[in-house]
């Protein structure tokens, strides 16, 4: 049966969009592969009234609530590809029948690619972090490292300095320019040149940043700006316009979260420069509203 909308990605943005469409009594299918971006962290912070809950717990509760709406269908799996035009989209999922819908809502999130340093990946979301607003408070001050990965890393280090005594490890990136050096000095950020060769367990709850030159430093946490990529190629294959941001490419959308392709909406981290649970959820609400309004007013038959 043709759906009013298919949502690709049942994370914070996708499920928020689903509430809007479900409550408008629209037929909505949510396809989700169950890998929200924050799955590496045991707890989420900073979302209204949800502080300290795990991301998975929040999403599971939302799914339970959504499942009570009779027009909502969940499909577990990965949307491989999609084709079609407004009012007649088809989404393929490995090993399952294609699903048809009048609108598509892309909410598949971003993939974080981390620098290839032994000991880094297994600490991601625990003591290797990207957002001080999400996890900086729990560090409790003390020595903190920032690993340079892009030209904005000096800025990141100067922000993280509000949460502890920060050292910026340049790790082969070009030395900060004079303006960045002045900022680091003003924010009392230390600078360590040289390649980072490994991250190891230090004394107590500390971890050790080992440099190739033989020096090492103990820190409570290490902040990294990961290389972020839109998950999957569905937006690209449809020719959705992209936008370059300091965080990488995102899908360009208008105020109603419509992409450049008629009938396709995008929400959450894939469609905004700075992402967190609250912003992704708000984005999903807007995309849900946009898709619903378009079903009522833009289509040939409503
Ligand atoms: C380590 C870490 C910790 C974080 N901690 C916090 C925090 O404490 N507080 C906070 O506010 N923010 C936090 N964030 C940010 C937050 O996780 C993201 O902003 C948020 O998850 C974005 O929501 P989203 O719905 O856009 O994408 P996601 O939550 O990533 O959801 C996308 C969903 O789409 C699915 N998917 C992807 N491709 C497909 C496909 N082709 N077919 C079907 N399904 C697909 C994925 O499996 C996933 O379930 C953290 C991020 C990280 C990396």
């Amino acid at each position: 049966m043709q759906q009013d909308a298919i949502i690709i990605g049942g994370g914070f943005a996708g499920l928020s969009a689903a509430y809007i469409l479900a409550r408008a009594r629209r037929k909505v299918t949510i396809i989700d592969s169950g890998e929200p971006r924050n799955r590496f962290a045991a707890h989420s912070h900073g979302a209204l009234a949800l502080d300290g809950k795990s991301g998975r717990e929040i999403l599971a509760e939302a799914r339970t609530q959504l499942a009570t709406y009779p027009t909502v269908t969940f499909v577990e799996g990965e949307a491989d590809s999609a084709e079609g035009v407004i009012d007649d989209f088809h989404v393929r999922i490995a090993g399952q029948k294609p699903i048809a819908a009048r609108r598509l809502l892309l909410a598949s999130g971003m993939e974080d690619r981390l620098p290839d340093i032994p000991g880094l990946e297994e600490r991601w979301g625990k003591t290797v972090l990207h957002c001080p607003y999400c996890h900086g408070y729990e560090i409790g001050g003390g020595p903190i490292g920032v690993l340079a990965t892009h030209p904005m890393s000096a800025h990141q280090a100067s922000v993280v300095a509000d949460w502890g005594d920060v050292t910026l490890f340049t790790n082969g990136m070009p030395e900060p320019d004079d303006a960045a050096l002045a900022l680091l000095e003003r924010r009392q950020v230390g600078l360590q040149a040289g390649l980072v060769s490994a991250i190891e367990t230090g004394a107590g709850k500390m971890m050790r940043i080992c440099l190739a030159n033989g020096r090492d430093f103990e820190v409570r946490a290490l902040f990294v700006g990961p290389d972020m990529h839109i998950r999957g190629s569905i937006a690209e294959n449809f020719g959705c316009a992209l936008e370059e941001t300091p965080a990488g490419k995102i899908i360009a959308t208008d105020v109603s979260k419509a992409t450049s392709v008629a009938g396709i909406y995008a929400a959450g981290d894939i469609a905004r420069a700075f992402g967190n649970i609250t912003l992704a959820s708000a984005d999903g609400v807007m995309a849900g509203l946009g898709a619903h309004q378009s079903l009522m007013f833009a289509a040939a038959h409503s």
Side-chain angles (χ1 to χ4, degrees):
M1 185 203 306
Q2 192 193 43
Q3 299 290 289
D4 289 313
I6 292 174
I7 299 174
I8 300 180
F12 301 92
L15 295 186
S16 299
Y19 276 99
I20 296 294
L21 290 158
R23 295 187 54 71
R25 300 177 195 278
R26 294 290 180 162
K27 293 190 290 290
V28 54
T29 290
I30 303 134
I31 307 170
D32 186 46
S33 55
E35 292 188 325
R37 192 169 164 211
N38 60 355
R39 63 191 178 279
F40 303 96
H43 305 281
S44 303
H45 294 284
L48 187 70
L50 298 170
D51 202 37
K53 280 201 170 187
S54 82
R56 284 201 188 277
E57 204 182 335
I58 299 168
L59 293 173
E61 174 69 19
R63 285 172 69 101
T64 302
Q65 292 176 5
L66 280 164
T68 64
Y69 289 84
T71 56
V72 170
T73 305
F74 283 101
V75 174
E76 285 179 26
E78 184 148 337
D80 283 339
S81 62
E83 57 199 30
V85 291
I86 184 165
D87 280 333
D88 190 24
F89 291 111
H90 297 262
V91 178
R92 285 175 210 292
I93 309 148
Q96 305 190 37
K97 273 205 224 152
I99 307 172
R102 295 174 59 195
R103 299 290 180 273
L104 269 192
L105 204 153
L106 309 178
S108 48
M110 296 293 253
E111 180 194 340
D112 294 303
R113 295 186 195 157
L114 297 167
D116 186 15
I117 297 173
L120 190 85
E121 201 173 326
E122 62 259 37
R123 291 179 169 83
W124 178 236
K126 298 165 188 78
T127 50
V128 174
L129 304 160
H130 78 304
C131 170
Y133 297 99
C134 298
H135 300 287
Y137 183 88
E138 282 65 34
I139 298 167
I144 299 176
V146 172
L147 185 73
T149 52
H150 54 70
M152 293 295 288
S153 293
H155 175 76
Q156 185 190 18
S158 71
V159 171
V160 175
D162 242 33
W163 281 267
D165 307 320
V166 171
T167 302
L168 175 63
F169 296 91
T170 62
N171 191 34
M173 291 291 289
E175 288 281 315
D177 62 19
D178 287 349
L181 285 175
L183 177 66
L184 292 174
E185 193 178 339
R186 187 151 54 83
R187 299 290 295 149
Q188 298 182 313
V189 173
L191 194 63
Q192 278 301 325
L195 289 176
V196 174
S197 56
I199 314 289
E200 294 177 355
T201 303
K205 290 187 174 171
M206 305 292 267
M207 65 179 161
R208 193 175 302 123
I209 314 293
C210 306
L211 300 190
N213 62 17
R215 300 190 67 188
D216 57 58
F217 299 82
E218 296 226 326
V219 296
R220 289 196 174 163
L222 180 68
F223 282 84
V224 180
D227 200 7
M228 293 193 281
H229 295 266
I230 293 171
R231 292 181 68 165
S233 55
I234 291 177
E236 198 186 324
N237 293 345
F238 271 111
C240 293
L242 302 181
E243 194 183 322
E244 199 71 61
T245 78
K249 281 189 182 141
I250 58 167
I251 302 172
T253 52
D254 68 9
V255 285
S256 68
K257 303 308 292 180
T259 70
S260 61
V261 176
I264 304 184
Y265 292 75
D269 284 6
I270 50 165
R272 52 179 312 116
F274 176 78
N276 78 6
I277 288 174
T278 309
L279 295 170
S281 304
D283 239 25
V285 169
M286 200 64 236
L289 292 172
H292 178 236
Q293 303 268 323
S294 139
L295 283 164
M296 287 190 289
F297 303 125
H301 28 262
S302 60

